[in-house]
Structures are given as structure tokens and as C-alpha cells.
């Protein structure tokens, strides 16, 4: 029987107990509003070729060190823009200065390791689930109250080999998609499947360690929203998955815990 994700009961690992540390009233109020409404906020922004100094100054020391390890300036710029954009978005949502927002990681719900769990807002220490993704030309952030959310974006590219399809798609999905002639329709359907799967495994918090993509059925031929089932070590969770329209050459998907009530609206913020 499918169940709601219950990992949150055992793996609440925000930086501190919200009741014992200072959290701005604006941030508390926003999180409570998000909790009541169930809404999810999604921001996206274009990625350029060069790092903007205004973005760089918002990064913390660990992020700056990671940014410097990128060999290609374009990749460094994409990382910097995504992190800075995410910080500004969270700050604007919570009503706090962007420089005071700090990101970290939650404990991995699979092994308990703090080094490779899903991303988290650790300052201010509020119970927000976040997910980040970036691809050629686009970065995306999803935020909701609680502990679990996943977002993924992929730039459209023709499938250069069926080997990639075998790694990503279930046999039924591969048969459906590869039976289409090479062209925009097949490319779009493949990327819809890919981003739906990535959004789910990121929402679960285990990534590819939890369930291989080619065993996760996401019904790419079905228009969303839809419910997707994830199984890991005998534990079944269900996820509400929908596609996002970013008005560009990208496929994007959002995954949230499936509940018996409405999952709440999605507020999509386009670039200013």
C-alpha cells in the first residue's frame, strides 16, 4: 500500500530548534502561511556566460571555493547565478536580507550522512524544503513548507543514442518513446520523462541511490499532474508530479508529497 513520505518524522535536521533561536517574525509568518495553503514557489532565471560580481558577493566561502573549481567560466557563472538567485528568492520570500540566508544540507534520509543529503535553508532556521536544478541556459529553485520537494530542468537535446534511453526509461517508456520518429515530439517526451524522474528522486532525498531511473515509471505519455510511486528497500512513497512551463527550450518538472487533499497552488516566478 502506498504511503505518504514519513522520513520527516525521523530526520528533521534544521540548524536549530526554531522555538529556541531568533527567527524574524516575517519568516515565521511566511512559513506558517505556506504550511496552511500548501503552496509551492518556483523561481527560474536565465544563465549567462560570465559571473556577475553582484552574484559572487552573495556566495558563502564554501560556495566560492566550489565555484573556483569549475574549469569553464560558463559553468562557474551558472553555479554562481543559481546560488545567488536562490538566495535572493528565499530572502524575498521570508522578508530578510539576502546576505543573511545560508544554505546547507539535510541529513540523508537513507544513510544518515550529513554530507550528501538534500539542500536546506539553515539560516534562518525555518522548516522549508528547497530543491535546485540547472541546465544549459536556465536555473530553477522550488520552495515549500515542510521537508520534501524536488525540481528538475533539462535543456532539450536530441537523443544521440538509445543507450541513454535505456539508462533513463523503463522498458514500456522506451518502447513508446523510441517508436516515435526522431524529431521534436520524441525529444520533448523523452525530456518530460527525464525531468519527472529526476524531480521525484530529488524529492525523496536519496537521488539515484534510492531507485534507478529506468525502474521508475512516470507515464511520459500522460499529461500531468499525476501520481508517481517510488519504492526503496520495501518502502513505498507517492508523489504529486507536474510539469512546469518555463517558456523556453527546457523541460521542467516539480514533485511534492502526495496527500489526500489538494497539494496547493504552484506560484511560478519568471525572471524580472
Amino acid at each position: 500500500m502506498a504511503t505518504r513520505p514519513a522520513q520527516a518524522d525521523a530526520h528533521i535536521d534544521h540548524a536549530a530548534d526554531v522555538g529556541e533561536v531568533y527567527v524574524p517574525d516575517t519568516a515565521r509568518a511566511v512559513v506558517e502561511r505556506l504550511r496552511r495553503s500548501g503552496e509551492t514557489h518556483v523561481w527560474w532565471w536565465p544563465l549567462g556566460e560570465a559571473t556577475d560580481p553582484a552574484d559572487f558577493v552573495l556566495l558563502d566561502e564554501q560556495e566560492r571555493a566550489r565555484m573556483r573549481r569549475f574549469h569553464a567560466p560558463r559553468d562557474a557563472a551558472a553555479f554562481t547565478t543559481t546560488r545567488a538567485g536562490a538566495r535572493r528568492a528565499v530572502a524575498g520570500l521570508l522578508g530578510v536580507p539576502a546576505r543573511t540566508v545560508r544554505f546547507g544540507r539535510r541529513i540523508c534520509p537513507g544513510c544518515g550522512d550529513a554530507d550528501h543529503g538534500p539542500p536546506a535553508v539553515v539560516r534562518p532556521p525555518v522548516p522549508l524544503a528547497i530543491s535546485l536544478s540547472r541546465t544549459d541556459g536556465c536555473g530553477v529553485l522550488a520552495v515549500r513548507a515542510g521537508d520534501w520537494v524536488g525540481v528538475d530542468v533539462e535543456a532539450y537535446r536530441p537523443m544521440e543514442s538509445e543507450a541513454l534511453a535505456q539508462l533513463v526509461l523503463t522498458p514500456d517508456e522506451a518502447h513508446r518513446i523510441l517508436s516515435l520518429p526522431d524529431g521534436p515530439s520524441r525529444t520533448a517526451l523523452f525530456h518530460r520523462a527525464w525531468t519527472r524522474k529526476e524531480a521525484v528522486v530529488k524529492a525523496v532525498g536519496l537521488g539515484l541511490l534510492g531507485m534507478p531511473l529506468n525502474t521508475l515509471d512516470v507515464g511520459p505519455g500522460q499529461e500531468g499532474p499525476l501520481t508517481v510511486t517510488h519504492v526503496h528497500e520495501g518502502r513505498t512513497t507517492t508523489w504529486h508530479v507536474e510539469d512546469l512551463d518555463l517558456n523556453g527550450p527546457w523541460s521542467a518538472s516539480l514533485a511534492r508529497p502526495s496527500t489526500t487533499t489538494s497539494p496547493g497552488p504552484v506560484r511560478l516566478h519568471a525572471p524580472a
Side-chain angles (χ1 to χ4, degrees), residues 195-251:
T195 58
R196 286 179 176 179
K197 291 167 187 272
E198 290 280 2
V200 168
V201 299
K202 291 168 73 173
V204 172
L206 297 171
L208 298 181
L209 297 176
M211 188 173 182
L213 296 185
N214 61 7
T215 64
L216 181 63
D217 191 336
V218 294
Q222 176 183 344
E223 295 293 330
L226 73 161
T227 299
V228 173
T229 300
H230 183 280
V231 181
H232 175 62
E233 295 184 349
R235 176 175 179 75
T236 300
T237 53
T238 57
W239 302 88
H240 178 89
V241 179
E242 55 198 289
D243 306 314
L244 303 172
D245 183 5
L246 303 187
N247 192 31
W250 310 290
S251 175

Side-chain angles (χ1 to χ4, degrees), residues 82-121:
T82 300
R83 286 296 176 132
R87 194 167 267 107
R88 291 189 184 99
V90 170
L93 181 67
L94 297 179
V96 300
R99 67 180 181 278
T100 66
V101 173
R102 184 162 65 87
F103 297 129
R105 290 193 177 276
R106 300 185 66 245
I107 293 173
C108 173
C111 68
D113 193 321
D115 292 333
H116 61 255
V121 178

Side-chain angles (χ1 to χ4, degrees), residues 156-159 177 180-191:
Y156 287 126
R157 304 179 187 87
M159 280 192 298
I177 293 174
L180 297 174
D182 190 16
S185 294
R186 186 168 83 162
T187 297
L189 206 59
F190 172 72
H191 284 80

Side-chain angles (χ1 to χ4, degrees), residues 62-151:
Q62 289 184 334
E63 290 169 328
R64 291 179 184 181
R66 183 175 171 186
M67 173 263 193
R68 293 186 181 102
R69 289 197 292 269
F70 286 100
H71 296 295
R74 190 170 189 262
D75 294 337
F79 172 81
T80 303
T81 300
T82 300
R83 286 296 176 132
R87 194 167 267 107
R88 291 189 184 99
V90 170
L93 181 67
L94 297 179
V96 300
R99 67 180 181 278
T100 66
V101 173
R102 184 162 65 87
F103 297 129
R105 290 193 177 276
R106 300 185 66 245
I107 293 173
C108 173
C111 68
D113 193 321
D115 292 333
H116 61 255
V121 178
V122 296
R123 286 288 184 271
V126 290
L128 284 180
I130 68 169
S131 183
L132 281 161
S133 182
R134 66 180 187 274
T135 189
D136 188 14
C138 183
V140 181
L141 167 74
V143 179
R144 66 181 293 272
D147 294 284
W148 312 104
V149 71
V151 72

